[in-house]
Amino acid sequence: MPGLDLIDHSPFHPSPSPRLKAASNLILIDNYDSFTWNVYQYLVLEGASVTVYRNDEITLEEIISMNPTQLVVSPGPGHPDTDAGISSEAIKYFSGKIPVLGVCMGEQCIYSVFGGRVDVTGEILHGKTSPLRHDSKGVYAGLPQDLPVTRYHSLAGTHATIPDCLEISSWIASGPDGGKGIIMGVRHKRLLVEGVQFHPESILTAEGRSMLKNFLRLKGGTWAENQAVQKQEPLPTNPHVINGSKVVNDVPRGEALTRVQESILDEIFRHRTDAVEAQKLVPSFRPSDLQASYDLGLSPPQISFPDRLRSSPYSLALMAEIKRASPSKGEIAMSACAPAKARQYALAGASVISVLTEPEWFKGSLEDLRSVRQSLEGLPNRPAVLRKEFIFDEYQILEARLAGADAILLIVKMLSESTLTKLYRYSRKLGMEPLVEVNTIEEMDIATSLGAQIIGVNNRNLANFEVDLDTTSRLMEKVPKGTVVCALSGISAFDDVRAYKSNGVGAVLVGEALMRAADIGAFVSKLLDGTDRTNEASLKQTMLVKICGTRTPEIAREAIEAGADLIGIILVEGRKRYVQADTALAISKVVHQTTKPQYLQGFDSASLALSKAKDFFDHTTSFIRRTDRALLVGVFQNQPLNHILDQQKILGLDIVQLHGTEPIEWAHLIPVPVLRRFEPGDSGISKRGYHTLPLLDSAAGGTGQVVELNEVHESLEADPGLRIVLAGGLHAQNVGTILSQLQGQRSQVVAVDVSSGVEHDGAQNMHKIKEFIHAAKSI
């Protein structure tokens, strides 16, 4: 290759290393190639005890009986599927048991054994050198980039068929941006198997002996086992220095530490793979079961992930993460309640709730995601829900959709391009635009070629867990117009995001800092706006008053003119306040035609922008608040749904009140807002997405019995987002006192309901009605 000097890198005066106990019985399979001698020489010089066997002169059973410490498969002529003898069988058997290395044809055998296809490269190379790019892991640990390596081949593994279990470890740079050209090395993601397409044993290859030395250091059958062994072995106390960096065993200390972290990722991947495969076998969790549930339309409604990111109350969107722990930080907030956190994040202005569902290292679960989605039910402009997980299978995407995810994460680093493309397309088929995560220019190129609309730049290097907040800014110039870029990891303060705003970043993901924040609303405001706006006061809203048990059009008119907001009529036969159909129609006509006085109604402050999520009951309160006229409420108790629907239509009811044991789900089937009676402490009071507001009353209702205030206080205190209509024994003289006894929960009462408290001798009294309205609206 032009520009590369041909240098003899062979060990002219080799100094053999001491014998390695861990490499006391290395088996080298010879594929009838003269380079096998060179491979043998380098291995022996590095301390291995090596025995060589021709690929057709030994059986697999004989190799197994020898109990080898390592297996190395040599170069050779021909095709790996037809000319490698016992090589492929040996690789298949010993993978996961001992370290395995393939050289040239040996690497092609590895590629083929795990499901890839070896094909012509379009060029024939014989003794030519090329500059090698690599990932600095495994056999390349501690080695510089653009090493000259010697190539003798016309075949290589193809990018399009690389198996999911393998990753590209080295390549020949292609194009002006140095993209991955011809594959020069592969590595199994879980098993201790490496392959190199070039010849490290050639005299024209730089650092070839170092590569084999790195291989001989590997122990065990998996990267996880290797990590466990390496952690137990102390690092030397006398590191030397190369190019200003401390070096341990010829590997820079940073690289030595990186190996440990890499193996953690490998272990996570292995555990997730095993868990997913095991789960697929469980009845009700099988792929066919999930697909059947999806086909039945059981997945929750979804929203557009890109659109929600573009709709934020702040200058850039917040992706708020629920994360109890992480490999780099350990335990963060183990006692955190995922759905409670999600609702806090939503009301603080988050555009996305990111839920980590990996159970061992991040202490999450798919159940967290499901409960988070349920906690956001009914919130106007709710945040999108993102499944943050190590996703490698369509199965994980389908279960995410069924649990309520609006988007999923795809990590470019851990997926082959073919798998990434397959998963991306499948996710979009289910209506979910994925968040595609990158960390390097090469990965950004893959993401943009994919057509990803949302790209997350991870500021944390997944190899060594170091955070570099400039990573996002450096990659911005590679992003097509219209793509939303999200900065991920290590963001905890306004200063961290200031530069991102000017660079055009669309969102930031924050996890640990949010999980530790004492006041989430204040933290989010300071993080994204530089100021705390959580204490901005809203305009005071007057108490709404419902006059129930109305029996004449005249009382209805006078009550409205006195300031009543809601007129209730009892439509339950047998109740003493029941009104006949003709009277009900007359009352309805009056309610719809009578203009009420303009009492100050109040509106939300500007801080509650349309792009910010709002609690369900804050939103639905507006359904019963109208300034031009009162609203007509029809009260029903344990009557057929069809009857309720007919009466609503005939009488023009603005609101239906269910005062019995009707199913909560009926609220979805009634075409107008629904008030539903509960006793304090009943289940379902705070259920979002169904009744417009709960009405808290004593057991019978309409009896003048005061509701138990301690229980009301407990219900409101347990759910700060709950808003209620309060009834039960209220009258002009006690309404102010009763509400004041609720103390800090007083603002959660948006309306009061009175019936017997405005009656005299069983009939409604206009003086008492006016007195009550004045007392309630003066609070």
Side-chain angles (χ1 to χ4, degrees):
M1 298 286 289
L4 286 178
D5 295 327
L6 295 181
I7 301 174
D8 183 353
H9 295 283
S10 62
F12 293 101
H13 302 288
S15 299
S17 299
R19 295 290 90 186
L20 292 174
K21 183 178 180 181
S24 59
N25 188 22
L26 187 152
I27 299 297
L28 173 59
I29 296 178
D30 174 20
N31 284 304
Y32 284 85
D33 195 276
S34 59
F35 270 112
T36 302
W37 164 251
N38 302 61
V39 176
Y40 171 85
Q41 181 189 30
Y42 273 20
L43 290 169
V44 170
L45 286 173
E46 291 304 328
S49 298
V50 182
T51 307
V52 182
Y53 294 95
R54 288 279 173 85
N55 66 21
D56 57 354
E57 294 180 358
I58 191 169
T59 65
L60 179 61
E61 289 72 22
E62 288 172 328
I63 301 176
I64 293 171
S65 69
M66 296 173 186
N67 195 26
T69 53
Q70 291 91 4
L71 176 71
V72 178
V73 180
S74 84
H79 195 281
D81 294 343
T82 56
D83 302 298
I86 197 65
S87 298
S88 294
E89 286 186 63
I91 290 170
K92 188 179 301 184
Y93 178 83
F94 285 105
S95 292
K97 299 180 175 67
I98 59 175
V100 175
L101 175 68
V103 179
C104 200
M105 179 184 273
E107 185 263 359
Q108 295 171 7
C109 288
I110 291 171
Y111 207 89
S112 181
V113 161
F114 290 103
R117 188 178 77 245
V118 175
D119 208 341
V120 294
T121 63
E123 55 181 345
I124 299 175
L125 295 164
H126 191 80
K128 302 294 185 180
T129 59
S130 300
L132 184 76
R133 296 282 177 90
H134 56 77
D135 61 7
S136 300
K137 305 175 189 176
V139 297
Y140 307 108
L143 303 183
Q145 296 292 336
D146 295 318
L147 288 169
V149 296
T150 312
R151 300 166 61 188
Y152 288 81
H153 69 102
S154 60
L155 303 175
T158 56
H159 283 278
T161 68
I162 185 169
D164 291 343
C165 61
L166 299 183
E167 61 184 358
I168 298 172
S169 56
S170 63
W171 61 92
I172 301 301
S174 174
D177 58 352
K180 292 180 180 179
I182 295 175
I183 298 172
M184 284 289 103
V186 294
R187 179 186 303 111
H188 199 285
K189 294 176 180 176
R190 184 170 67 88
L191 309 180
L192 238 172
V193 179
E194 290 248 18
V196 295
Q197 176 63 68
F198 57 91
H199 288 255
E201 75 284 1
S202 168
I203 63 171
L204 299 182
T205 296
E207 302 291 351
R209 183 171 165 182
S210 297
M211 296 177 198
L212 295 180
K213 185 175 183 178
N214 282 337
F215 169 73
L216 293 176
R217 287 198 189 97
L218 304 176
K219 298 176 182 178
T222 67
W223 296 105
E225 291 174 11
N226 178 64
Q227 173 222 340
V229 174
Q230 301 294 349
K231 285 177 68 175
Q232 292 172 2
E233 295 181 356
L235 295 174
T237 56
N238 58 338
H240 55 286
V241 174
I242 294 178
N243 294 330
S245 299
K246 286 188 176 181
V247 171
V248 178
N249 288 340
D250 294 337
V251 180
R253 181 172 289 270
E255 295 290 351
L257 296 176
T258 294
R259 287 183 185 178
V260 175
Q261 302 294 359
E262 289 166 356
S263 57
I264 290 174
L265 293 176
D266 292 334
E267 190 172 0
I268 293 174
F269 181 81
R270 175 172 59 85
H271 280 220
R272 297 307 294 140
T273 302
D274 293 344
V276 168
E277 291 306 313
Q279 183 174 303
K280 287 180 179 180
L281 302 176
V282 179
S284 80
F285 290 96
R286 296 166 299 196
S288 59
D289 298 323
L290 267 59
Q291 187 62 50
S293 295
Y294 182 79
D295 292 342
L296 286 170
L298 301 185
S299 56
Q302 62 195 127
I303 61 176
S304 166
F305 178 41
D307 289 350
R308 191 60 183 87
L309 276 176
R310 295 185 178 101
S311 173
S312 171
Y314 300 99
S315 55
L316 49 76
L318 171 65
M319 304 172 70
E321 187 156 88
I322 295 172
K323 177 166 65 174
R324 296 190 182 93
S326 75
S328 60
K329 298 292 185 178
E331 293 185 359
I332 296 171
M334 292 298 293
S335 62
C337 172
K341 280 285 185 187
R343 193 172 290 173
Q344 289 177 314
Y345 289 170
L347 299 179
S351 297
V352 177
I353 309 295
S354 169
V355 186
L356 277 152
T357 60
E358 193 285 320
E360 295 182 68
W361 284 265
F362 294 91
K363 308 302 180 186
S365 68
L366 193 66
E367 187 56 36
D368 280 340
L369 189 143
R370 184 175 287 106
S371 60
V372 162
R373 176 62 182 85
Q374 291 171 350
S375 76
L376 303 176
E377 188 69 35
L379 267 64
N381 203 32
R382 70 166 176 85
V385 177
L386 167 72
R387 184 184 190 185
K388 191 93 174 286
E389 174 64 276
F390 298 87
I391 289 179
F392 49 84
D393 194 310
E394 290 179 351
Y395 177 89
Q396 296 167 287
I397 300 175
L398 181 56
E399 66 174 358
R401 179 76 281 277
L402 285 168
D406 300 295
I408 51 102
L409 173 71
L410 296 176
I411 304 173
V412 173
K413 186 180 293 294
M414 65 173 283
L415 300 169
S416 67
E417 288 191 48
S418 59
T419 300
L420 175 66
T421 301
K422 179 181 71 173
L423 297 180
Y424 179 80
R425 290 174 178 172
Y426 181 71
S427 181
R428 295 197 70 187
K429 178 182 175 183
L430 299 188
M432 298 188 293
E433 178 66 33
L435 170 65
V436 180
E437 180 184 309
V438 304
N439 179 252
T440 65
I441 290 176
E442 292 80 12
E443 292 171 4
M444 178 64 84
D445 288 339
I446 292 172
T448 56
S449 297
L450 190 66
Q453 294 183 39
I454 312 295
I455 297 177
V457 180
N458 197 341
N459 295 313
R460 189 185 304 280
N461 188 310
L462 292 180
N464 57 26
F465 284 85
E466 293 179 356
V467 173
D468 178 3
L469 293 181
D470 291 332
T471 303
T472 301
S473 299
R474 285 196 299 270
L475 298 183
M476 283 300 296
E477 63 182 32
K478 304 284 289 183
V479 180
K481 185 178 179 180
T483 302
V484 178
V485 175
C486 310
L488 315 178
S489 295
I491 300 161
S492 61
F494 180 63
D495 289 342
D496 296 334
V497 302
R498 194 194 307 267
Y500 294 146
K501 291 185 179 183
S502 60
N503 287 343
V505 170
V508 291
L509 183 141
V510 183
E512 180 188 351
L514 261 178
M515 294 295 290
R516 299 186 191 277
D519 186 332
I520 289 174
F523 176 84
V524 169
S525 184
K526 289 178 181 178
L527 176 73
L528 299 180
D529 216 23
T531 58
D532 180 3
R533 297 185 178 180
T534 55
N535 293 322
E536 291 181 352
S538 349
L539 294 174
K540 183 180 178 181
Q541 295 181 325
T542 58
M543 181 68 69
L544 297 174
V545 176
K546 175 172 174 267
I547 304 299
C548 201
T550 303
R551 280 155 278 177
T552 68
E554 293 75 21
I555 288 291
R557 179 180 292 105
E558 290 190 58
I560 295 169
E561 291 173 347
D565 302 284
L566 304 154
I567 301 297
I569 54 176
I570 306 300
L571 300 173
V572 184
E573 290 190 44
R575 297 292 296 270
K576 65 180 181 179
R577 298 181 180 91
Y578 170 68
V579 293
Q580 298 289 340
D582 56 345
T583 304
L585 281 169
I587 293 173
S588 174
K589 184 176 180 180
V590 167
V591 171
H592 285 85
Q593 293 180 352
T594 304
T595 301
K596 74 176 188 178
Q598 297 298 305
Y599 281 87
L600 177 66
Q601 297 301 305
F603 299 93
D604 292 332
S605 73
S607 63
L608 288 174
L610 292 176
S611 54
K612 191 173 185 179
K614 197 176 183 181
D615 199 294
F616 176 76
F617 293 121
D618 278 331
H619 175 65
T620 55
T621 297
S622 65
F623 298 173
I624 66 168
R625 186 182 295 277
R626 187 162 170 171
T627 57
D628 60 338
R629 69 172 179 87
L631 299 175
L632 181 63
V633 182
V635 180
F636 300 88
Q637 186 176 45
N638 298 327
Q639 291 154 277
L641 177 61
N642 285 340
H643 172 73
I644 295 173
L645 296 176
D646 288 343
Q647 290 297 298
Q648 185 278 320
K649 188 181 297 184
I650 292 168
L651 300 175
L653 299 177
D654 298 303
I655 298 171
V656 165
Q657 179 174 320
L658 300 177
H659 214 76
T661 57
E662 298 87 354
I664 287 179
E665 293 94 328
W666 277 17
H668 275 172
L669 306 175
I670 296 171
V672 293
V674 171
L675 301 180
R676 192 183 191 284
R677 186 199 69 84
F678 293 90
E679 290 185 56
D682 282 353
S683 62
I685 291 177
S686 60
K687 185 74 173 175
R688 269 76 168 170
Y690 294 89
H691 42 272
T692 303
L693 285 172
L695 183 147
L696 267 59
D697 197 356
S698 57
T703 61
Q705 180 181 338
V706 177
V707 70
E708 178 53 56
L709 285 181
N710 287 334
E711 294 181 359
V712 173
H713 187 277
E714 289 175 5
S715 295
L716 296 176
E717 189 175 40
D719 185 352
L722 181 61
R723 303 291 180 265
I724 67 166
V725 177
L726 183 64
L730 299 178
H731 51 73
Q733 288 69 41
N734 72 0
V735 64
T737 303
I738 286 175
L739 288 175
S740 67
Q741 290 176 19
L742 294 177
Q743 301 174 349
Q745 277 65 52
R746 147 68 193 96
S747 62
Q748 293 176 251
V749 180
V750 298
V752 288
D753 184 330
V754 64
S755 180
S756 61
V758 293
E759 293 178 345
H760 179 71
D761 292 335
Q764 286 181 304
N765 180 280
M766 200 57 231
H767 174 72
K768 287 191 173 186
I769 289 174
K770 290 179 180 179
E771 216 178 20
F772 182 83
I773 292 172
H774 177 74
K777 290 189 177 289
S778 298
I779 297 171

